[in-house]
Amino acid sequence: MAELKEADAAQLHQEDVDIKRADGGDASSAGDKAADQAEKTEGAADSDAKPSTTTSDRHISIQTKLEGLEVLVDLNGAGRKSCPLCPEEKFKACYSHKLRRHLQNLHWKVYVEFEGQMMCICHLPCRNLKPSLSGDQASGRHVAHYHCVVCSVTIARKTDMISHLKRHVNKGETEASYSGSSDVQYEEPAPSGQPYEIMKELGTNVQLLPNHTTPQKSDTYFNRKMKTNRQLVFCSLAVLAEERSPIECLDAFGATGIMGLQWAKHLRSAVKVTITDISDTCVKMIKENCELNNIRVDGGSRGPRGPEVATSEVEGTPIATVEVVKMDANVTMHLWPFDYIHLDPFGTAVNYLDAAFRNIRNLGIISVSSTDTSSLYSKSPNVTLRHYGCHIIRTEYYKELAARMVVDTVSRAAARCNKGIEVLLAVALEHFVLVVVRVLRGPTQADESTKKLRKLVHCQWCEERVFLKKGNMVDETLPCNCHGSMPGKTAVQLGPLWSGPLFNTGFLRRMLSAAVKHSMDDIQPLVKTLICESDCTTLKSLVHGSSALSNQVECGVVIKTLKSGEELGQAEQSGKRKSGEESGNVLKRMKCEASLEHPPFYYSIHRHSIRGMNMPKLNKFLQYLTEAGFRVSRTHFDPTGVRTDATLEQFKSVLTKYSVPTNTSVPQTSVSMDKTL
């Protein structure tokens, strides 16, 4: 009996051990299944979300050869076998020859290739169930999908997976970018880990990532076509640096930092440059570009800076100092005052105008670059109304319409801060619209600026246009008689728009001298065209005359420019602002005579040409208009445009007078041929 009791006790003990082992095995298997399920469903909610980093254990659907799929199942063995990429309810177990055809025709045939890796289609329950028509998720069906080799995201469509991989390529992300353990947190790809492309512009070197041409996919966006924009902004800053020194300037959207580095490298101690960006990748690249150009980087604490000239003399290495700040542009402009602010976001800049006018100093300059050409050039009128609060249509003068619309938005933003503006420059080219304004503090200046915001009356038949005055009827304002000769309504109201001048001749002359001084040969013809356009004249002597470096009156702001290098050296040595002289020159604003302002808008000579008539050459036509007593000049907005104070009827009469019929030479040739015969 004792032996039987001992045997029963040993058997019970063995059963307890087996039960514990079974429980432990079930728990571990349940944990493994949960981990596998978490890995499979990770990132399945949104294909554009931040990718995961657990790519060391690739999904079984990612192979390099077809044999890799066949290895997953022992096809040489006997018996029925299940598909490793399909659930049992979708594909039942079958023999080896049928399973081999299934893997080849269903899974391998529709693969997506990326860097030698084949992403086959997967039917396993890696994604959430697609709900049925009744809304019951349990009774739904699983969706076929692909597993991304880079970020493990599951995507249903093949075309979507190809687009998803292209986004990885544009961001410079490859398979090696996400290799590592799951303990490492995701970080944006650093510039130092990718191949660089070094570009030199205006004596400044910048490092570019391979994806620098895709603005929506890359933080460090760089557009080579904006070189004209950068040079115009540089010249405007150089003009302000001649008025007072040193000045604090802000490049609100640094990206690669090319613009701020050009300011610091060429203007040296005359400017204190601050470059800000919200992206860590951009801030890191800006600092590396500073080292590449031998420029010292300030920490960004906005404390009192040391004497830059003395530091460079002692060390002998850095030529300038740039403050790099990782901060939102609105926050930066709300916290610290600046003398010069440049806004160049991707798209519209209306979201940053209030913050820009918040702390800009008196007589400071704000330059705004808008690249949302679809809304500015009347291709998306609903977006135009939403961003700028203006109603516009497509016209022959759509580029100047866009420039006046941006100035209108800038003026209203300044008025909300009890500040007025004086437009120094407005340029509209193919890729951008650049507006440079001077800020004038005080509610009186704000009221003067808002008085220049008016509606524009535009004739849809002949495209005559005129700014609407208060108390006038719409159809009685237009000088054309299309309303009486055409049935229905022919005139529409556009705007509100800026009705004042778009250029300042004195400022443009000094910009030209700055362009010559810094060897900017590309924009000198453009600036000369702007000078002639601001004066509405074709005389070339206005550009090269002796008055280019003299006292200029910019709508009441009298500014003394330097004529010789000695005076320039004295100004740099002093390094202090003469606030008393500045305020004395600026407080009194003289009203510019209407005859001195350039006429608004322009006419296209091709748009109003007469059918069956040969038009005169453009330069000849400008001469004919001048002889008729009209002010006339060419415009940078349109190479075939003519800016003149003549009405459209007078413009057409002069054009008709000097046009020659196209068939006048035909009878003469026929007569000469008859005589020879």
Side-chain angles (χ1 to χ4, degrees):
M1 292 294 293
E3 294 177 0
L4 291 175
K5 289 181 180 179
E6 291 177 2
D8 293 340
Q11 184 177 2
L12 291 174
H13 177 70
Q14 184 67 28
E15 290 178 357
D16 293 339
V17 172
D18 294 339
I19 290 172
K20 290 180 180 179
R21 289 178 179 177
D23 294 339
D26 294 340
S28 61
S29 62
D32 295 339
K33 290 181 180 179
D36 294 339
Q37 186 69 16
E39 290 179 0
K40 291 178 181 178
T41 57
E42 187 176 10
D46 188 4
S47 61
D48 294 332
K50 288 294 182 182
S52 68
T53 59
T54 60
T55 59
S56 58
D57 298 334
R58 289 180 187 165
H59 195 265
I60 58 176
S61 63
I62 303 174
Q63 301 292 336
T64 57
K65 296 181 181 179
L66 176 60
E67 289 76 9
L69 291 178
E70 298 177 353
V71 171
L72 298 176
V73 183
D74 187 12
L75 297 179
N76 297 326
R80 298 175 181 269
K81 301 175 180 60
S82 300
C83 176
L85 298 179
C86 294
E88 294 182 359
E89 59 269 15
K90 180 176 179 60
F91 185 80
K92 296 182 180 180
C94 60
Y95 292 102
S96 298
H97 67 281
K98 188 176 181 180
L99 181 58
R100 184 179 286 106
R101 291 198 306 267
H102 170 77
L103 291 174
Q104 182 177 358
N105 297 331
L106 179 63
H107 297 284
W108 181 261
K109 193 174 182 179
V110 290
Y111 67 81
V112 178
E113 183 181 2
F114 181 75
E115 295 185 354
Q117 302 292 332
M118 314 300 179
M119 291 165 279
C120 304
I121 194 167
C122 175
H123 291 271
L124 295 176
C126 305
R127 294 168 60 94
N128 294 329
L129 288 174
K130 184 177 180 180
S132 60
L133 296 176
S134 60
D136 187 10
Q137 189 176 10
S139 61
R141 61 184 179 86
H142 294 284
V143 180
H145 56 275
Y146 295 89
H147 289 262
C148 179
V149 69
V150 180
C151 60
S152 302
V153 171
T154 57
I155 298 177
R157 297 176 180 269
K158 182 177 180 179
T159 55
D160 294 342
M161 173 58 75
I162 295 174
S163 302
H164 176 75
L165 293 174
K166 287 181 179 179
R167 287 196 290 269
H168 280 305
V169 174
N170 292 334
K171 291 181 180 179
E173 300 166 354
T174 58
E175 182 186 356
S177 302
Y178 292 92
S179 61
S181 62
S182 59
D183 298 334
V184 182
Q185 296 183 356
Y186 172 75
E187 295 181 358
E188 295 184 5
S192 58
Q194 300 187 17
Y196 283 127
E197 176 186 354
I198 298 180
M199 194 276 309
K200 187 174 183 179
E201 180 181 297
L202 197 61
T204 305
N205 298 320
V206 290
Q207 298 175 348
L208 304 178
L209 291 177
N211 57 345
H212 66 273
T213 58
T214 53
Q216 295 179 344
K217 310 297 190 304
S218 171
D219 293 327
T220 57
Y221 175 60
F222 180 81
N223 190 356
R224 300 177 188 271
K225 297 180 181 179
M226 296 288 285
K227 180 180 179 181
T228 303
N229 179 281
R230 288 188 286 269
Q231 291 184 353
L232 289 173
V233 172
F234 178 87
C235 290
S236 63
L237 178 62
V239 171
L240 183 63
E242 292 179 359
E243 300 175 8
R244 47 188 180 182
S245 177
I247 58 175
E248 296 186 13
C249 50
L250 171 68
D251 182 8
F253 300 89
T256 59
I258 176 66
M259 190 169 292
L261 295 178
Q262 289 177 353
W263 300 348
K265 193 167 186 177
H266 293 276
L267 300 179
R268 302 293 178 91
S269 60
V271 294
K272 295 181 178 179
V273 182
T274 301
I275 306 176
T276 180
D277 204 288
I278 195 63
S279 172
D280 293 328
T281 307
C282 292
V283 172
K284 185 175 182 180
M285 176 162 282
I286 292 170
K287 292 180 179 179
E288 292 182 357
N289 288 333
C290 289
E291 297 177 0
L292 186 64
N293 290 275
N294 202 12
I295 296 177
R296 185 168 63 90
V297 180
D298 201 354
S301 59
R302 290 296 298 183
R305 298 186 185 181
E308 299 179 2
V309 178
T311 305
S312 60
E313 290 178 356
V314 174
E315 297 180 358
T317 304
I319 60 175
T321 303
V322 170
E323 182 178 359
V324 182
V325 182
K326 181 186 177 299
M327 191 178 295
D328 184 74
N330 282 324
V331 177
T332 304
M333 291 183 290
H334 272 290
L335 289 178
W336 302 301
F338 294 95
D339 299 284
Y340 189 97
I341 296 177
H342 176 62
L343 302 176
D344 187 12
F346 177 68
T348 180
V350 295
N351 299 326
Y352 307 94
L353 293 177
D354 291 336
F357 284 100
R358 172 68 175 82
N359 266 344
I360 188 70
R361 290 192 176 100
N362 191 25
L363 298 181
I365 292 179
I366 295 179
S367 59
V368 181
S369 296
S370 301
T371 55
D372 53 334
T373 54
S374 60
S375 58
L376 291 174
Y377 293 162
S378 309
K379 296 180 181 179
S380 302
N382 56 334
V383 181
T384 305
L385 185 62
R386 186 167 66 247
H387 287 172
Y388 299 95
C390 298
H391 169 67
I392 59 174
I393 60 176
R394 185 76 172 190
T395 61
E396 63 169 330
Y397 51 93
Y398 67 95
K399 287 189 177 181
E400 184 170 350
L401 204 66
R404 291 185 179 275
M405 182 171 57
V406 175
V407 176
D408 167 81
T409 307
V410 171
S411 177
R412 284 187 279 113
R416 287 192 291 269
C417 298
N418 286 333
K419 296 174 183 177
I421 64 169
E422 175 195 352
V423 183
L424 304 176
L425 172 66
V427 176
L429 298 179
E430 182 181 359
H431 307 287
F432 64 92
V433 175
L434 174 64
V435 172
V436 181
V437 298
R438 189 187 296 274
V439 181
L440 305 173
R441 282 189 173 182
T444 304
Q445 313 295 345
D447 294 339
E448 291 293 331
S449 298
T450 53
K451 289 179 182 179
K452 298 179 181 180
L453 306 181
R454 299 180 184 177
K455 290 276 188 176
L456 181 71
V457 183
H458 171 80
C459 180
Q460 300 183 86
W461 184 258
C462 66
E463 294 208 11
E464 178 64 294
R465 80 288 301 199
V466 66
F467 280 107
L468 180 64
K469 298 181 181 180
K470 294 183 179 180
N472 289 2
M473 300 296 292
V474 175
D475 295 313
E476 295 179 355
T477 304
L478 288 172
C480 64
N481 56 356
C482 297
H483 176 66
S485 59
M486 300 293 175
K489 185 178 180 180
T490 61
V492 293
Q493 288 190 16
L494 307 180
L497 303 171
W498 174 263
S499 62
L502 294 178
F503 313 101
N504 190 283
T505 309
F507 191 83
L508 289 173
R509 291 182 187 278
R510 291 184 287 135
M511 281 185 61
L512 179 60
S513 63
V516 173
K517 177 181 178 182
H518 295 281
S519 302
M520 297 183 181
D521 299 333
D522 298 336
I523 65 167
Q524 291 181 21
L526 175 60
V527 178
K528 293 176 182 178
T529 303
L530 295 176
I531 293 175
C532 294
E533 189 175 358
S534 62
D535 286 336
C536 197
T537 181
T538 58
L539 298 178
K540 300 297 181 64
S541 60
L542 290 177
V543 177
H544 303 285
S546 60
S547 61
L549 296 177
S550 59
N551 292 352
Q552 302 294 343
V553 179
E554 301 176 3
C555 290
V557 181
V558 182
I559 298 171
K560 182 179 181 181
T561 59
L562 302 178
K563 297 182 180 180
S564 61
E566 297 180 356
E567 296 180 4
L568 181 61
Q570 294 176 2
E572 290 181 351
Q573 291 176 2
S574 61
K576 297 182 179 179
R577 299 182 187 174
K578 299 179 180 180
S579 57
E581 296 181 3
E582 270 188 30
S583 58
N585 292 334
V586 174
L587 290 178
K588 296 182 180 180
R589 296 194 59 201
M590 299 165 54
K591 294 185 178 180
C592 299
E593 298 180 2
S595 59
L596 297 179
E597 295 183 0
H598 62 82
F601 301 109
Y602 54 91
Y603 301 105
S604 176
I605 188 173
H606 287 176
R607 167 67 176 81
H608 301 286
S609 61
I610 298 93
R611 180 177 297 179
M613 304 285 285
N614 286 333
M615 299 181 301
K617 297 294 183 180
L618 185 56
N619 292 333
K620 284 288 185 181
F621 181 67
L622 297 179
Q623 183 179 354
Y624 296 149
L625 284 174
T626 305
E627 293 174 356
F630 300 110
R631 299 174 61 200
V632 62
S633 70
R634 302 189 68 170
T635 176
H636 81 281
F637 293 111
D638 188 358
T640 63
V642 177
R643 185 180 296 277
T644 177
D645 56 352
T647 62
L648 182 59
E649 184 178 358
Q650 296 169 341
F651 182 86
K652 285 184 176 181
S653 63
V654 177
L655 184 61
T656 306
K657 180 180 179 181
Y658 293 98
S659 297
V660 181
T662 56
N663 56 354
T664 54
S665 59
V666 177
Q668 297 178 0
T669 56
S670 61
V671 171
S672 61
M673 290 178 65
D674 293 340
K675 289 182 179 180
T676 55
L677 293 175

